Amino acid sequence: MFRRIAMTMTMTNSIVLLLFSLTFLERGLLFQRVSSLGINYGQVGDNLPPPDKVIQLLSSLHINKTRIYDTNPRVLTSFANSNIELFVTVENEMLSSLVDPQQALQWVTTRIKPYFPATKIGGIAVGNELYTDDDSSLIGYLVPAMMSIHSALVQTGLDKYIQVSTPNSLSVLQESYPPSAGCFRPEVAGVMTQLLTFLRNTKSPFWINAYPYFAYKDNPTKIPLEYVLFNPNPGMVDPFTKYHYDNMLYAQVDAVIFAMARLGFKDIEVGVSETGWPSKGDGDEVGATVANAAVYNKNLLRRQLQGEGTPLRQNMSFDVYLFALFNEDLKPGPTSERNYGLYQPDETMTYNVGLLSSSSSTSSSTSTSSTSIISLTSSASTAIKKGTQNLIYWTCIYSLAIQMLIRRPY
């Protein structure tokens, strides 16, 4: 009898442990998924809020990762003790000097070390889109500068906490369609081999700036809008792998993975350092509307919450940084360049994609926002929560039944 009671009590204790585990699993699962989302905090504007206001906005949105395009001391100081992780950038024009290990060490000791660990710096982007169709003059400095900066991090004891990588334009690819045909341009293949070797050795991700918007803008009659917006659509099937793609972003990410594999690198993580959709554009910028921007970012956020992987890496979620937090009025180029922000500089929403702020100042500035408001916990997370609650309910019933058995006389 005592043995049976002991076995039953052990089972009961296991169930109690399961209940606690499920509760923490639910919370941890949601946290892990949301934490894969970051946002780019550009500062090319003369009317942007100060960094302390930006911290309040990010915190109210429960976003704990942001990327900046320099090492602005004011931003680094303001973000101290904020629990928001920064992905900082070495400006392109500095790369040639940072090839020198001593210059790199000085850069780390003056730009990074004084602020860490109070300010959570999780990564250093060495340059941004160093290779484009128009200019490749800086690409030769890339890997030597990355190696020098990483060595400086090792010397200062920061290499365990800060990754070194670089965001790449999709123009580094010679082919991207279908995804299985992905390959790098011949003129950058040598540099890419060096870069990928460095990333593998330091366990750092390969970052890509991927904008399905550009592909749609350039060819709106052949590329379905629903496909680039993550909306329901027939999608496409890669004729070689037979993988089905229902959106262009995942196809672009997989094209990069195939390109790396062609060079012998199959084990490197890929992240999206920039993606977004403009809410306004010039007359020839097809698709640059508030409605399309809201749908693209809303659908992408839902996918991130679900922790999805691409068809090629279905069980591996990947980090995404939305572009961008604010509209930036001083950015050069077409109108779209100044209108990627989820927020206006006065902190009102350009449109609402479900990042519901607790601040009353973040009311939408457009009438179409009301149709696109979602809660990031409304779809996948609600289903997860409901399923977990049902499981907990029936587990509790089972636990009570066992308790009754314990009290029965034998």
Side-chain angles (χ1 to χ4, degrees), residues 210-223:
Y211 288 90
Y213 162 72
F214 291 133
Y216 175 76
K217 176 182 73 71
D218 293 341
N219 208 346
T221 60
K222 292 187 177 180
I223 297 177

PDB file of all heavy atoms in Angstrom, residues 210-223:
ATOM      1  N   ALA A 210      16.785  42.948 -46.910  1.00  0.00           N
ATOM      2  CA  ALA A 210      15.900  42.358 -47.914  1.00  0.00           C
ATOM      3  C   ALA A 210      14.590  43.140 -47.991  1.00  0.00           C
ATOM      4  O   ALA A 210      13.876  43.262 -46.991  1.00  0.00           O
ATOM      5  CB  ALA A 210      15.624  40.894 -47.576  1.00  0.00           C
ATOM      6  N   TYR A 211      14.291  43.647 -49.177  1.00  0.00           N
ATOM      7  CA  TYR A 211      13.095  44.469 -49.390  1.00  0.00           C
ATOM      8  C   TYR A 211      12.277  43.929 -50.571  1.00  0.00           C
ATOM      9  O   TYR A 211      12.533  44.290 -51.725  1.00  0.00           O
ATOM     10  CB  TYR A 211      13.484  45.917 -49.675  1.00  0.00           C
ATOM     11  CG  TYR A 211      14.011  46.676 -48.495  1.00  0.00           C
ATOM     12  CD1 TYR A 211      15.371  46.688 -48.202  1.00  0.00           C
ATOM     13  CD2 TYR A 211      13.154  47.397 -47.665  1.00  0.00           C
ATOM     14  CE1 TYR A 211      15.871  47.400 -47.122  1.00  0.00           C
ATOM     15  CE2 TYR A 211      13.640  48.112 -46.579  1.00  0.00           C
ATOM     16  CZ  TYR A 211      14.998  48.108 -46.312  1.00  0.00           C
ATOM     17  OH  TYR A 211      15.486  48.817 -45.232  1.00  0.00           O
ATOM     18  N   PRO A 212      11.302  43.060 -50.305  1.00  0.00           N
ATOM     19  CA  PRO A 212      10.412  42.636 -51.392  1.00  0.00           C
ATOM     20  C   PRO A 212       9.744  43.806 -52.103  1.00  0.00           C
ATOM     21  O   PRO A 212       9.377  43.686 -53.282  1.00  0.00           O
ATOM     22  CB  PRO A 212       9.386  41.757 -50.657  1.00  0.00           C
ATOM     23  CG  PRO A 212      10.144  41.201 -49.494  1.00  0.00           C
ATOM     24  CD  PRO A 212      11.040  42.324 -49.056  1.00  0.00           C
ATOM     25  N   TYR A 213       9.585  44.922 -51.410  1.00  0.00           N
ATOM     26  CA  TYR A 213       8.985  46.102 -52.027  1.00  0.00           C
ATOM     27  C   TYR A 213       9.699  46.498 -53.317  1.00  0.00           C
ATOM     28  O   TYR A 213       9.070  46.832 -54.323  1.00  0.00           O
ATOM     29  CB  TYR A 213       8.995  47.282 -51.050  1.00  0.00           C
ATOM     30  CG  TYR A 213       8.808  48.611 -51.734  1.00  0.00           C
ATOM     31  CD1 TYR A 213       7.564  48.981 -52.266  1.00  0.00           C
ATOM     32  CD2 TYR A 213       9.882  49.488 -51.916  1.00  0.00           C
ATOM     33  CE1 TYR A 213       7.396  50.193 -52.928  1.00  0.00           C
ATOM     34  CE2 TYR A 213       9.723  50.695 -52.564  1.00  0.00           C
ATOM     35  CZ  TYR A 213       8.475  51.039 -53.070  1.00  0.00           C
ATOM     36  OH  TYR A 213       8.324  52.233 -53.734  1.00  0.00           O
ATOM     37  N   PHE A 214      11.035  46.467 -53.310  1.00  0.00           N
ATOM     38  CA  PHE A 214      11.786  46.895 -54.480  1.00  0.00           C
ATOM     39  C   PHE A 214      11.497  45.995 -55.681  1.00  0.00           C
ATOM     40  O   PHE A 214      11.374  46.461 -56.809  1.00  0.00           O
ATOM     41  CB  PHE A 214      13.288  46.913 -54.186  1.00  0.00           C
ATOM     42  CG  PHE A 214      13.704  47.995 -53.231  1.00  0.00           C
ATOM     43  CD1 PHE A 214      14.541  47.710 -52.162  1.00  0.00           C
ATOM     44  CD2 PHE A 214      13.268  49.292 -53.404  1.00  0.00           C
ATOM     45  CE1 PHE A 214      14.929  48.705 -51.279  1.00  0.00           C
ATOM     46  CE2 PHE A 214      13.653  50.303 -52.532  1.00  0.00           C
ATOM     47  CZ  PHE A 214      14.483  50.006 -51.466  1.00  0.00           C
ATOM     48  N   ALA A 215      11.428  44.690 -55.416  1.00  0.00           N
ATOM     49  CA  ALA A 215      11.134  43.759 -56.506  1.00  0.00           C
ATOM     50  C   ALA A 215       9.747  44.028 -57.083  1.00  0.00           C
ATOM     51  O   ALA A 215       9.563  44.027 -58.307  1.00  0.00           O
ATOM     52  CB  ALA A 215      11.231  42.318 -56.003  1.00  0.00           C
ATOM     53  N   TYR A 216       8.789  44.296 -56.201  1.00  0.00           N
ATOM     54  CA  TYR A 216       7.435  44.574 -56.675  1.00  0.00           C
ATOM     55  C   TYR A 216       7.387  45.904 -57.435  1.00  0.00           C
ATOM     56  O   TYR A 216       6.767  46.000 -58.509  1.00  0.00           O
ATOM     57  CB  TYR A 216       6.459  44.610 -55.499  1.00  0.00           C
ATOM     58  CG  TYR A 216       5.062  45.011 -55.914  1.00  0.00           C
ATOM     59  CD1 TYR A 216       4.228  44.116 -56.574  1.00  0.00           C
ATOM     60  CD2 TYR A 216       4.588  46.301 -55.666  1.00  0.00           C
ATOM     61  CE1 TYR A 216       2.952  44.493 -56.979  1.00  0.00           C
ATOM     62  CE2 TYR A 216       3.321  46.686 -56.060  1.00  0.00           C
ATOM     63  CZ  TYR A 216       2.507  45.777 -56.716  1.00  0.00           C
ATOM     64  OH  TYR A 216       1.251  46.148 -57.126  1.00  0.00           O
ATOM     65  N   LYS A 217       8.028  46.924 -56.911  1.00  0.00           N
ATOM     66  CA  LYS A 217       8.025  48.246 -57.554  1.00  0.00           C
ATOM     67  C   LYS A 217       8.587  48.167 -58.972  1.00  0.00           C
ATOM     68  O   LYS A 217       8.079  48.813 -59.899  1.00  0.00           O
ATOM     69  CB  LYS A 217       8.848  49.239 -56.727  1.00  0.00           C
ATOM     70  CG  LYS A 217       8.984  50.623 -57.348  1.00  0.00           C
ATOM     71  CD  LYS A 217       9.849  51.520 -56.493  1.00  0.00           C
ATOM     72  CE  LYS A 217      11.314  51.158 -56.558  1.00  0.00           C
ATOM     73  NZ  LYS A 217      11.930  51.511 -57.879  1.00  0.00           N
ATOM     74  N   ASP A 218       9.635  47.368 -59.147  1.00  0.00           N
ATOM     75  CA  ASP A 218      10.287  47.277 -60.452  1.00  0.00           C
ATOM     76  C   ASP A 218       9.516  46.410 -61.443  1.00  0.00           C
ATOM     77  O   ASP A 218       9.734  46.525 -62.655  1.00  0.00           O
ATOM     78  CB  ASP A 218      11.709  46.718 -60.287  1.00  0.00           C
ATOM     79  CG  ASP A 218      12.625  47.673 -59.538  1.00  0.00           C
ATOM     80  OD1 ASP A 218      12.294  48.879 -59.469  1.00  0.00           O
ATOM     81  OD2 ASP A 218      13.658  47.214 -59.010  1.00  0.00           O
ATOM     82  N   ASN A 219       8.629  45.553 -60.938  1.00  0.00           N
ATOM     83  CA  ASN A 219       7.930  44.640 -61.844  1.00  0.00           C
ATOM     84  C   ASN A 219       6.534  44.316 -61.324  1.00  0.00           C
ATOM     85  O   ASN A 219       6.211  43.154 -61.069  1.00  0.00           O
ATOM     86  CB  ASN A 219       8.739  43.347 -62.002  1.00  0.00           C
ATOM     87  CG  ASN A 219       8.495  42.671 -63.335  1.00  0.00           C
ATOM     88  OD1 ASN A 219       7.543  43.004 -64.045  1.00  0.00           O
ATOM     89  ND2 ASN A 219       9.337  41.723 -63.669  1.00  0.00           N
ATOM     90  N   PRO A 220       5.673  45.309 -61.155  1.00  0.00           N
ATOM     91  CA  PRO A 220       4.377  45.079 -60.518  1.00  0.00           C
ATOM     92  C   PRO A 220       3.407  44.246 -61.354  1.00  0.00           C
ATOM     93  O   PRO A 220       2.448  43.693 -60.801  1.00  0.00           O
ATOM     94  CB  PRO A 220       3.827  46.494 -60.304  1.00  0.00           C
ATOM     95  CG  PRO A 220       4.491  47.317 -61.357  1.00  0.00           C
ATOM     96  CD  PRO A 220       5.856  46.724 -61.526  1.00  0.00           C
ATOM     97  N   THR A 221       3.640  44.138 -62.648  1.00  0.00           N
ATOM     98  CA  THR A 221       2.719  43.362 -63.483  1.00  0.00           C
ATOM     99  C   THR A 221       3.008  41.866 -63.431  1.00  0.00           C
ATOM    100  O   THR A 221       2.139  41.057 -63.760  1.00  0.00           O
ATOM    101  CB  THR A 221       2.793  43.832 -64.949  1.00  0.00           C
ATOM    102  OG1 THR A 221       4.134  43.657 -65.442  1.00  0.00           O
ATOM    103  CG2 THR A 221       2.388  45.297 -65.063  1.00  0.00           C
ATOM    104  N   LYS A 222       4.215  41.492 -63.026  1.00  0.00           N
ATOM    105  CA  LYS A 222       4.582  40.066 -62.990  1.00  0.00           C
ATOM    106  C   LYS A 222       4.687  39.504 -61.585  1.00  0.00           C
ATOM    107  O   LYS A 222       4.600  38.288 -61.395  1.00  0.00           O
ATOM    108  CB  LYS A 222       5.908  39.863 -63.737  1.00  0.00           C
ATOM    109  CG  LYS A 222       5.801  40.089 -65.235  1.00  0.00           C
ATOM    110  CD  LYS A 222       7.095  39.706 -65.936  1.00  0.00           C
ATOM    111  CE  LYS A 222       6.964  39.874 -67.459  1.00  0.00           C
ATOM    112  NZ  LYS A 222       8.220  39.506 -68.167  1.00  0.00           N
ATOM    113  N   ILE A 223       4.914  40.368 -60.588  1.00  0.00           N
ATOM    114  CA  ILE A 223       5.044  39.891 -59.209  1.00  0.00           C
ATOM    115  C   ILE A 223       3.744  40.185 -58.468  1.00  0.00           C
ATOM    116  O   ILE A 223       3.361  41.355 -58.322  1.00  0.00           O
ATOM    117  CB  ILE A 223       6.232  40.567 -58.501  1.00  0.00           C
ATOM    118  CG1 ILE A 223       7.540  40.190 -59.196  1.00  0.00           C
ATOM    119  CG2 ILE A 223       6.277  40.171 -57.024  1.00  0.00           C
ATOM    120  CD1 ILE A 223       8.765  40.870 -58.615  1.00  0.00           C
TER     121      ILE A 223
END
